[in-house]
Amino acid sequence: MKGEILKNYINGKWVDSRATKTRDVINPATGEILAQTPMGTKEDAEESIQAAKEAFWRWRTTPAQSRIRYLYELRDAFEENFDELAEVCTLEHGKTLDESRGEYRRTIESIEIATSIPSLQMGFNFEDVAMGIDEMMIKQPLGVFFCVAPFNFPAMVPAWFWPLAIATGNTYIVKPSDQCPITMVKQFEIIDELDFPKGIINLVHGGPDVVNTLIENPDTVGLSFVGSSKIGNLLYRKAGEVGKRVQVQGGAKNFITVMPDADLERTIPNLITSFYGNAGQRCLAGGVLLAVGEVYEPLKDKILDAAKKIKLGYGMDEDTQMGPLASKAGMDNVLKFIDKGIEEGAELILDGRNPKLDDNLINGSFIGPTIFDKVTPEMTIAKEEIFGPVIPIVKVNSLEEAIEIINKSRYGNASSIFTSSGKSARDYQYNVNAGNIGINIGVAAPIASFPFSGMKDSFKGDLHGQGKSGVDFFTEDKVVITRWF
Ligand code: NAD
C-alpha cells in the first residue's frame, strides 16, 4: 500500500483512525498515490463528537469579539503560506495553480467575512467586489406553497404563512384542519368579495390523501405544517424525500418557572391565562408550573384560589371565562392524562372532571380548571403535552434544578420565568433550550415581525415561520455579479 494513512485531528491532537479500510488519494494528473484516506469508524466519530461536546461550553461562553481573533490569526497564516497551500490543492485536485490560488482567495474572503459577525454588518449589495464588478443578492419567489394547519387556531395559524407567501410573489394553498374548517371558509368568502386575482390563494379541505398529494406533486415547492409532532415528523420525512422545502411547527410542553422573588399578585393572572387560555389548547400554553423554593406554598394557594373562580361555560356568553375542549376526542385525551396523573401518584387538588354546567351544555366537551400538586418530573403529566386545562405543579429547590428539568424535555417550544431578578432572568434566557422565552410573560408569542421559533421536537426545518426567516423560507437567494464593458 502506497502513501501514508492520514490521521484524524481530534481535541487538538493528531490521532490514528481505527479504520480497517482505506481509499487511495491520487494525483489526477500523474496517477501517483499521494496518501490513504482512512474510512473512519463509529468510534472515530464518537471520539470527535465527545471532544467537540466538551469544548462547546467554553467556546460558547467566549465573547464573539474574542472568538473572531482566532479567525484573524488563521487568515494571516493562510496568507503567509499561500503558495504552498495552492500547490497542494493543485496536486490532489488537478486544477491549475491559478485556479487553486483563486480558490484560496475565496477561502480567505470567507474567513474575513465571518469576522464581521459581531457587528452584524453583513450587507448584501456591494459595488466593486473587484474593480468594476458589482455584486448583489436578489430574493425571488419560488412557486406554489401550502400549509397544513391544526385545529387550535384555525384563523391565525394559516395567516402565519399565506400573507407572506403571496406578498413575496408565490401562490398558495391552505389545507385547514379537518376538525375546524369553517373559519377558513369564512375568510375565503371575504377574499372572494375582494376580487383577488384568480388562483393566487386557494383552500382545499381533507386529510392525509390531500396532504400526501400536495407533498408528492412535483409542482409544489414547500410545506408549512403546524400540528402534532407525530404527524409533523412524518410529513417532514416525506417532504424531505421529494426535495420540498419544509418547516414543521410541532407539539409542546412549556415549563413556567416562578422564583421566590416574583411579584405574585401580577404573576397569578398571567399564569391563569397561560394555562387555561384557549382551555389549554395552545402550543404556547403553560404545561408545567415549576415552583422554586419558598414560593411553592403561597403560589399553590393563590393559583388554586384564582383557578376556582374561573367561570366555565358557553363561549357565546359574554361572561364565560373558559370554554370546552374543541372535541370529544380532545376531552377524552385530557381525561386519560388526569387518570394517569392520579395513577402515578400526583395529588389532584382541583378536579375539573364532570363540571357543573347549565342544562344546555351537558353534551359538551367540558373539563374545568384542574390542578395537580406533588408532581415529579418523571410523571407522564409532567412530560407529555396534555392540551387541556391542567396545571401540574412541580416543586424544585433552585433555578438550576428548574433549568435542568426543562432541558430534559423532548420539546422546546416556549418557556417563561417570573422573577424580579435580572440575573435570574438572564440565566434563564441564556440556558433554557426553548425557542420562545417569556420573562414575566406567560405566553411568549412572537409578533409577526419576529420568527416563531421552536426547538427539538417542537420544530423541524431550517427556517422558522414569520419575520425574516419566513421571508427566507418563501424566497430563493440569487446572487448577481455584474461587469459592464
Ligand atoms: P394534528 O397533527 O392532528 O393535525 C394537524 C394537521 O395535519 C391537520 O390539518 C390534519 O388534517 C393533518 N393530518 C393529520 N394526520 C395526518 C396524516 N397522517 N397525514 C397528513 N396530514 C395529516 O394536530 P392538531 O391536533 O390539529 O393540532 C394540535 C397540535 O398542534 C398540538 O400538538 C399543538 O401543540 C400543535 N400546535 C403547534 C403550534 C406551533 O407553532 N408549534 C401551533 C399550534 C398548534
Side-chain angles (χ1 to χ4, degrees), residues 148-153 157 160 175-179 206-208 211-212 225-229 231-232 234-235 238 249-252 282-283 385 387 413 452 458:
V148 179
F151 77 84
N152 67 329
F153 288 100
V157 168
W160 288 346
K175 206 301 280 176
S177 163
D178 41 319
Q179 192 181 315
V211 175
N212 290 338
F225 172 89
V226 182
S228 62
S229 297
I231 304 298
L234 179 82
L235 300 190
K238 277 192 181 166
Q249 298 183 207
R282 81 177 148 203
C283 67
E385 182 179 43
F387 229 52
N413 214 33
F452 194 109
S458 297

Side-chain angles (χ1 to χ4, degrees), residues 141-146 158-173 200-201 224 470-471 473-475:
L142 284 157
V144 180
F145 282 87
F146 64 98
W160 288 346
F161 311 108
W162 70 259
L164 209 48
I166 64 169
T168 48
N170 301 282
T171 55
Y172 208 78
I173 302 161
I200 66 160
I201 174 158
S224 303
V471 174
F473 183 75
F474 291 123
T475 53

